[in-house]
Amino acid sequence: MVAGSAFGYTKLQVGLARRLGRAIADAGCTLVNGAATGLPYVAAEAARSVGGQIIAVSPASSLEEHLYYFGFPDYPGEVILFAGNWANQTWYHCVYHRLTDRQFEKIRDLKKQFMLKFRNTISVAISSAVIAIGGRIGTIN
């Protein structure tokens, strides 16, 4: 899995992401990422450019939600795994009913963060290794 900054990265980091994407593809491995923007997307584009396979794990339940609710890019020709299908079920069965009145005021933000964390869990679970380039708290997560 390739994790990393969605924004605020350097030219050096972009170069590293490109080299990493090509190296993963050249090794015959599948590049997994969080279906978002930034350095993981750069790595996926580089892998794609040399015929590599990509699995993009989206926190969304559908392509429409992926593009418009999360604002993430399309991954044309790649496998997009929509982790939101499972995240929604888990959210309602395990989390929603336990929210306090104060938390209900921020339910949209809480659910979005839950879906992003759920995506991260699925991404790591289906990967043999995780390589991070740059990043902040989301990458560390």
Side-chain angles (χ1 to χ4, degrees):
M1 177 187 169
V2 176
S5 298
F7 56 89
Y9 38 81
T10 67
K11 289 181 182 180
L12 174 64
Q13 290 170 326
V14 170
L16 289 171
R18 285 189 181 118
R19 287 178 40 207
L20 177 61
R22 286 191 296 268
I24 289 170
D26 288 344
C29 297
T30 299
L31 186 147
V32 176
N33 71 14
T37 59
L39 296 172
Y41 186 77
V42 170
E45 285 183 318
R48 182 186 314 118
S49 74
V50 294
Q53 182 179 5
I54 293 101
I55 298 175
V57 184
S58 173
S61 299
S62 66
L63 183 58
E64 182 176 285
E65 186 178 51
H66 173 82
L67 297 172
Y68 301 109
Y69 178 67
F70 287 96
F72 289 160
D74 194 3
Y75 276 72
E78 267 88 56
V79 174
I80 300 180
L81 177 65
F82 293 106
N85 292 319
W86 300 288
N88 281 325
Q89 292 174 13
T90 305
W91 169 261
Y92 285 109
H93 292 296
C94 300
V95 178
Y96 180 80
H97 301 292
R98 299 169 195 256
L99 296 176
T100 66
D101 289 340
R102 184 174 170 180
Q103 290 171 315
F104 266 107
E105 296 171 10
K106 299 180 178 184
I107 196 165
R108 180 178 164 96
D109 291 335
L110 288 171
K111 185 176 181 193
K112 190 172 190 176
Q113 289 304 312
F114 179 83
M115 293 174 80
L116 288 164
K117 303 306 181 249
F118 199 93
R119 179 250 343 238
N120 295 349
T121 303
I122 299 297
S123 300
V124 170
I126 66 171
S127 300
S128 297
V130 178
I131 301 170
I133 304 172
R136 291 171 301 283
I137 194 69
T139 302
I140 293 169
N141 174 269

